[in-house]
Amino acid sequence: AIDGVHLTKSSGSQFWPIVGYLTFIKDSSLFPIGVYHGFSKPNVSNAFLLDFVEEAQGLIERGFFFREKLFSVLIKSFICDAPAR
């Protein structure tokens, strides 16, 4: 999920988090994947999402090791607000 959040009412500073959720864990909490910070919405979503896309591609292709065990990664869905679609 990606959505903008204003940090204060007066500064105009806002951040746009990318958050994840593990569907296979009961009562899982959202966790941060990445954050964009600025004083307006990102002008180009490709620049904002580039690092996420590159890392996600690598994880999907190769998986990752945790405690000497290889885990595969599957992105099940993306949830975006209307402007992000």
Side-chain angles (χ1 to χ4, degrees), residues 21-29:
Y21 177 78
L22 302 175
T23 59
F24 59 90
I25 298 177
K26 185 179 179 183
D27 299 326
S28 177
S29 298

Side-chain angles (χ1 to χ4, degrees), residues 14-54:
Q14 52 187 284
F15 67 96
W16 293 75
I18 302 171
V19 296
Y21 177 78
L22 302 175
T23 59
F24 59 90
I25 298 177
K26 185 179 179 183
D27 299 326
S28 177
S29 298
L30 297 175
F31 60 91
I33 294 172
V35 178
Y36 167 87
H37 174 263
F39 291 94
S40 64
K41 293 181 180 181
N43 292 330
V44 180
S45 61
N46 289 347
F48 165 54
L49 294 172
L50 181 63
D51 288 339
F52 167 73
V53 169
E54 288 177 348

Side-chain angles (χ1 to χ4, degrees), residues 3-16:
D3 200 4
V5 178
H6 290 277
L7 296 177
T8 66
K9 290 182 180 181
S10 61
S11 76
S13 178
Q14 52 187 284
F15 67 96
W16 293 75

Side-chain angles (χ1 to χ4, degrees), residues 56 59-61 63-64 71-75:
L59 288 169
I60 291 167
E61 291 169 6
F64 69 96
F71 290 86
S72 51
V73 173
L74 169 68
I75 297 175

